[in-house]
Amino acid sequence: MVRSVILRLDGITRQFSRASAPAVNNLSLQLYQGDLLGLLGPSGCGKTTLLRLIAGFEPPDAGTIALADRTVAGSGNWVLPEQRDVGMVFQDYALFPHLTVAKNVAFGLRQRQHKGLRHTTKQVTHLIKAAIAQVGLAGLENRYPHELSGGQQQRVALARALAPQPALVLLDEPLSNLDVQVRLRLRQEIRDVLKATGTSGVFVTHDQEEALSIADQVAVMRNGNLEQFGTPETIYQKPATRFVAEFVTQANVLAAKWNGDRWETEIGCFEGGRQNTEDTRQQPADLMIRQEDLLLEPDEAGVLVIRDRQFLGREHRYYLLCPSGRELYARLPAAKAIPTGTRVNVHITASALQVFPSASVLQL
């Protein structure tokens, strides 16, 4: 089945002053109808600016933005935010404290001028009830925001965005103000609601796990640039750059040099590795190894020492001290705990290694 493109960005650039680097730099991507896109990156990477460009709160300095094959910014076109058929969910909920849940949701239905639609009172009532039911708040229509929990307030904000049945919903770090348990529950609920309604979505987050669990596609950003765009599985298993490997997978970094048929490091020699090419072998390199791919074997002559251990429920996270003083991290099932202070060696499968040019001078 051929799916239509709901959002297309071509060469989008936004620079707030000539003295600073672009907040968004020549960024291009496309999102298919019904998919959820996660904009992932550290603070200041440009992800919220990009969301505001899509919403129409900021004009791009270059490039075009198209929603459902309709150019809304660039190439001489500019469509106002309220005419873009886009719903918005803000980080701080932005609910009106003097309005009930039903009236807050109704606010998003006032007019849809770009479609020439004006709802009757009966239609408005139906859409309000449907949106509130979709987010699991049926029966709370007459409550005020201060009478709701943080999670319930965020559901109201989502219902308000969904009530007009927009083509695209934009969410700006919608879960960052919530407690951990509520956040875990709501991120699945948000995905379920958007999928059930067939609504495409773009959400901003700096939480790697959140992006990987909610999104169908992830755009990893850094300093205004798109580092990698792909499925959560591809982003995690095959990071395209050193930054993605470190930020998304929180991988270990090992300085290495090629020694005939294997990589030599301070903790041992290893074969293979992705991006293990003639070019990477000719210069110092960094081996990127995910924490769960380090297998530990107690050995009195081992080169690594377990400095500390954290119990995380299903697993332990080990802090491993290298001869150089660098720390590595390993995650192993909690059933086989290794005591602190134990010397260990590590085993790494060749397919788990990722090779990148060294970011610093190699010293072994």
Side-chain angles (χ1 to χ4, degrees):
M1 181 180 67
V2 178
R3 293 191 297 162
S4 60
V5 175
I6 189 66
L7 171 67
R8 190 187 305 275
L9 308 179
D10 290 315
I12 292 298
T13 295
R14 178 60 168 146
Q15 188 168 11
F16 292 105
S17 73
R18 294 182 180 179
S20 62
V24 177
N25 184 33
N26 193 30
L27 190 147
S28 300
L29 59 80
Q30 64 182 27
L31 179 68
Y32 288 99
Q33 173 64 47
D35 277 356
L36 307 181
L37 167 64
L39 301 180
L40 174 64
S43 298
C45 73
K47 55 189 185 294
T48 294
T49 298
L50 182 59
L51 197 76
R52 291 175 61 82
L53 289 166
I54 298 169
F57 301 151
E58 299 279 351
D61 295 309
T64 60
I65 301 173
L67 293 170
D69 292 327
R70 176 185 180 225
T71 301
V72 296
S75 299
N77 296 283
W78 177 254
V79 177
L80 295 173
E82 61 268 24
Q83 297 175 337
R84 293 195 178 191
D85 197 18
V86 167
M88 189 79 191
V89 179
F90 297 95
Q91 181 177 352
D92 59 357
Y93 318 145
L95 301 178
F96 296 105
H98 63 291
L99 298 181
T100 63
V101 168
K103 290 182 178 179
N104 265 286
V105 175
F107 183 81
L109 287 165
R110 297 205 315 192
Q111 287 188 358
R112 303 181 69 187
Q113 296 175 350
H114 63 288
K115 287 189 174 182
L117 294 178
R118 292 179 181 272
H119 298 295
T120 65
T121 301
K122 185 175 181 180
Q123 289 173 326
V124 168
T125 301
H126 172 74
L127 289 170
I128 292 171
K129 287 185 176 180
I132 292 174
Q134 284 169 351
V135 299
L137 294 180
L140 303 182
E141 292 85 352
N142 295 321
R143 290 196 184 181
Y144 290 88
H146 72 272
E147 298 176 314
L148 304 174
S149 67
Q152 289 172 329
Q153 290 181 48
Q154 189 58 282
R155 288 188 181 93
V156 176
L158 179 60
R160 182 178 59 190
L162 289 173
Q165 300 176 334
L168 184 68
V169 170
L170 307 177
L171 305 99
D172 186 9
E173 302 215 36
L175 307 178
S176 61
N177 291 333
L178 301 173
D179 294 337
V180 173
Q181 290 302 318
V182 177
R183 189 162 66 241
L184 292 175
R185 185 172 68 252
L186 261 188
R187 73 187 185 192
Q188 183 60 47
E189 290 182 7
I190 287 175
R191 178 176 170 85
D192 290 344
V193 168
L194 294 177
K195 287 296 183 180
T197 58
T199 306
S200 305
V202 179
F203 69 95
V204 164
T205 181
H206 61 270
D207 186 308
Q208 299 90 336
E209 186 176 309
E210 186 173 294
L212 297 176
S213 64
I214 296 179
D216 299 298
Q217 300 287 330
V218 177
V220 184
M221 295 183 64
R222 180 192 186 197
N223 296 333
N225 297 295
L226 182 61
E227 287 276 318
Q228 188 172 357
F229 178 74
T231 64
E233 292 83 1
T234 298
I235 296 290
Y236 189 84
Q237 296 170 4
K238 299 178 180 179
T241 67
R242 175 193 174 102
F243 171 79
V244 175
E246 289 187 291
F247 181 76
V248 177
T249 73
Q250 299 176 331
N252 294 292
V253 181
L254 270 177
K257 65 180 181 182
W258 186 251
N259 186 8
D261 60 352
R262 61 189 62 198
W263 292 105
E264 179 184 335
T265 77
E266 65 172 312
I267 65 169
C269 295
F270 307 101
E271 298 179 350
R274 294 196 186 98
Q275 299 181 355
N276 182 2
T277 65
E278 189 64 33
D279 288 340
T280 57
R281 296 171 188 170
Q282 297 303 315
Q283 56 188 331
D286 286 331
L287 301 186
M288 313 296 289
I289 311 160
R290 292 188 298 266
Q291 297 179 30
E292 64 270 26
D293 291 326
L294 278 176
L295 304 179
L296 307 183
E297 179 182 321
D299 185 339
E300 292 182 359
V303 296
L304 294 169
V305 178
I306 297 178
R307 183 185 68 80
D308 201 359
R309 184 185 71 198
Q310 290 181 340
F311 178 63
L312 303 178
R314 296 184 180 87
E315 61 187 9
H316 281 109
R317 185 175 192 239
Y318 293 92
Y319 293 71
L320 308 171
L321 191 62
C322 296
S324 66
R326 176 191 294 270
E327 278 195 338
L328 302 180
Y329 307 96
R331 289 176 180 263
L332 296 174
K336 297 180 180 180
I338 305 175
T340 300
T342 302
R343 286 192 168 272
V344 296
N345 283 320
V346 298
H347 298 282
I348 307 167
T349 59
S351 60
L353 293 175
Q354 184 103 5
V355 183
F356 293 102
S358 178
S360 60
V361 177
L362 180 69
Q363 294 181 344
L364 292 177

